[in-house]
Amino acid sequence: MTHHPGLLRTAPLQGETTSSLICRIASRYGLEAKVLRSCWHWRNYQPGHDDGGARADAEVLLNSAGRHLLAGLCGVTEGVLARALPSWGQEDAKLPAGEDQVPAAAWRTGGAVAGPVAFGCRLCTARRTGTAVRMVRYAPRWERVCVRHGRWLLDADADQPLEYLDVRGVPEVVAAQRRWAGVARRAVRAGAEPARVFALAHAVVARWWEHAFHWERETIWPRRLHQVAGGNAGGDLERWRIVGRDAVVFPEVVAVADALLDPAMAQLAWADSGAGQPRALPADGMFCRLLGERVDRPWLGPLAATDYGGPLTSWMGSIIRIRRGAGGPPGYDNDPWWLRQENQPSTMAGQLRVLGKEKKAPGSGTMWRSTVPAEQRAQITSLVDGAQEQLIQLRGAQTGSSADVAQHLLRILSYSAALLEKALQHTVVAAVNAGVPPRDVAQWAKLPPGALADALKAYQEAYG
């Protein structure tokens, strides 16, 4: 194809992916993107979804000759492109180097290049460029609201058709994005990275979101979810709970981040732990009670306090160990903003993949996630994590008087054993209900047949 550099000037948008810019250039020239992409020599294939569709978050890395070619097609200097495109200066060992080489390119996924990738607002793109075409850009999760048009811009890595959710009916979401700027400044003053503070708060609230489906007193999130779903999410509730989660919980994420940065809240967590006289964290502690009030849910405190092993109790444990001068588990050394991998919430793309596979898989009724209710799975996880979190507190506990050490050890060991006993009971019942032969369940749990029957009966009496 013959090029006329600068014939149709196409300026990059701040944070845009290089792949998105190439698509916009093709649109300006009246070409299909794949035709324009033939100007480069490609070293691999374009990333795609499981069903074969192209990924919107696909990214392009160029060699120096390829960058020079793109600048000519845009009609702007390479310096302009370097300031706007996060992936511009990144190299790939598979691409030929040197100015005299052929223009070459390699495909990547945006998340592996420069962070989370989201759709841009088409109305804002049209306002800037005169054309309402799709634009994809790098954007952290606290910058997903288009304030001008009231849109929550969705992740671009998921296999679903929506680019945004309408949040004009939930102004608290827009307000939360404005509030986050102050929270981020507060994090910097406290010596914490805003991104890590946000990630921890997001994990805390995403965990609440998973449990909230069965919270009878929860009315805020259902209203928001129906609103962003166009008025009614009931037609495909499971899918809407995945697609709408980050937008719906965003105000609470910002509120929790603000609370965790508050020294007064850390002092309450310390007091709840018994301060100089260690004790297990109580279900009616002041920290979680006040945290519930700060997210407009006065009833939430006991539910948050008893979610043992979750990111919130891990944060509290770190704060408490720091004040006691006690060492933490290997790997994170009492860093309150360290987020365990198992506590990191699933992304929208990941959840949609699992949902799609479970719906398509033959005989999916025998799959654990399909047969065991989400509430029961969450309960098992919470109990196991809770026991682990309690046992972590025993590190370095065998110092002091015999009475104090014995009391501390026995209380926590007894409490942890009770949590594990409940987890065993929940798992036994879940396995039997999932169709696992009772004989196998009894053997794996080391229960005699009579004890298995007693466990099932006790669960039925306790939980109906």
Side-chain angles (χ1 to χ4, degrees):
M1 190 176 90
T2 302
H3 309 296
H4 299 282
L7 180 64
L8 293 175
R9 186 176 185 276
T10 307
L13 300 175
Q14 190 61 42
E16 187 173 11
T17 66
T18 303
S19 176
S20 171
L21 177 59
I22 291 174
C23 291
R24 289 200 301 112
I25 296 171
S27 177
R28 294 277 330 257
Y29 281 96
L31 301 172
E32 291 186 19
K34 64 181 180 181
V35 175
L36 185 62
R37 287 197 291 261
S38 66
C39 299
W40 288 270
H41 290 259
W42 294 88
R43 298 297 178 175
N44 55 359
Y45 293 102
Q46 184 174 2
H49 293 294
D50 292 341
D51 62 2
R55 291 179 58 137
D57 69 327
E59 179 58 298
V60 172
L61 299 183
L62 305 172
N63 67 351
S64 58
R67 291 193 290 269
H68 182 73
L69 171 60
L70 181 60
L73 292 170
C74 289
V76 299
T77 66
E78 292 192 32
V80 171
L81 293 171
R83 288 189 293 272
L85 306 180
S87 68
W88 183 256
Q90 300 205 29
E91 302 286 347
D92 188 283
K94 296 180 180 179
L95 298 179
E99 294 291 341
D100 57 343
Q101 296 294 331
V102 297
W107 287 107
R108 294 290 183 270
T109 56
V113 174
V117 180
F119 292 104
C121 175
R122 290 200 183 214
L123 297 180
C124 289
T125 302
R127 186 169 174 268
R128 292 281 306 277
T129 68
T131 308
V133 296
R134 188 176 80 176
M135 191 271 282
V136 182
R137 68 188 183 99
Y138 293 96
R141 300 193 191 284
W142 56 82
E143 291 181 359
R144 294 297 179 86
V145 179
C146 172
V147 176
R148 180 184 296 274
H149 300 110
R151 294 180 169 184
W152 176 273
L153 304 169
L154 292 167
D155 292 343
D157 61 345
D159 188 8
Q160 59 87 34
L162 298 177
E163 294 183 11
Y164 69 91
L165 301 176
D166 189 341
V167 294
R168 288 175 295 177
V170 280
E172 61 267 34
V173 174
V174 179
Q177 180 161 294
R178 292 193 177 102
R179 184 185 177 191
W180 168 253
V183 176
R185 289 193 295 269
R186 188 174 186 176
V188 172
R189 289 195 299 269
E193 296 179 30
R196 298 184 69 204
V197 174
F198 183 90
L200 181 66
H202 182 257
V204 170
V205 179
R207 191 171 174 100
W208 291 348
W209 173 260
E210 294 303 317
H211 297 168
F213 189 72
H214 303 281
W215 289 348
E216 294 182 0
R217 301 177 69 177
E218 176 57 51
T219 59
I220 299 174
W221 284 342
R223 175 186 61 80
R224 282 191 205 148
L225 183 62
H226 288 301
Q227 187 71 42
V228 301
N232 184 10
D236 194 359
L237 183 59
E238 192 171 8
R239 187 176 186 85
W240 274 114
R241 275 181 52 81
I242 295 172
V243 175
R245 180 196 67 185
D246 287 351
V248 170
V249 306
F250 186 53
E252 285 73 22
V253 172
V254 175
V256 168
D258 190 36
L260 297 183
L261 288 166
D262 188 346
M265 293 294 288
Q267 180 62 31
L268 289 178
W270 170 241
D272 287 342
S273 73
Q277 298 179 338
R279 66 182 182 189
L281 292 171
D284 60 348
M286 284 298 299
F287 171 83
C288 287
R289 187 186 310 172
L290 186 56
L291 184 62
E293 293 175 1
R294 291 180 72 150
V295 295
D296 297 323
R297 293 165 176 81
W299 47 266
L300 180 60
L303 297 175
T306 54
D307 183 20
Y308 303 112
L312 182 61
T313 52
S314 293
W315 179 89
M316 295 172 69
S318 295
I319 294 296
I320 294 165
R321 286 191 296 273
I322 289 172
R323 296 209 174 192
R324 287 181 182 158
Y332 62 99
D333 193 28
N334 286 343
D335 178 0
W337 308 113
W338 186 83
L339 183 61
R340 297 179 184 176
Q341 184 175 2
E342 60 268 26
N343 283 334
Q344 295 176 5
S346 300
T347 63
M348 177 175 69
Q351 291 182 85
L352 288 176
R353 281 195 297 270
V354 170
L355 180 63
K357 289 178 180 179
E358 289 185 350
K359 287 185 175 181
K360 294 177 182 178
S364 61
T366 62
M367 297 175 65
W368 181 264
R369 284 179 54 88
S370 296
T371 55
V372 180
E375 181 184 26
Q376 196 169 11
R377 298 198 311 269
Q379 185 69 18
I380 293 170
T381 300
S382 177
L383 290 166
V384 172
D385 289 348
Q388 180 186 26
E389 185 67 26
Q390 292 296 312
L391 292 171
I392 285 173
Q393 297 185 36
L394 295 181
R395 290 181 178 273
Q398 299 191 55
T399 57
S401 70
S402 298
D404 289 343
V405 171
Q407 181 186 51
H408 185 49
L409 286 172
L410 291 174
R411 280 183 174 177
I412 290 184
L413 288 171
S414 177
Y415 188 67
S416 301
L419 291 176
L420 291 174
E421 183 67 26
K422 289 183 180 179
L424 177 67
Q425 186 183 56
H426 279 274
T427 306
V428 163
V429 173
V432 172
N433 290 340
V436 179
R439 179 186 301 176
D440 292 341
V441 173
Q443 179 182 353
W444 298 333
K446 299 187 182 302
L447 294 173
L452 176 61
D454 292 341
L456 296 174
K457 182 180 178 181
Y459 182 90
Q460 183 65 28
E461 292 174 351
Y463 301 98

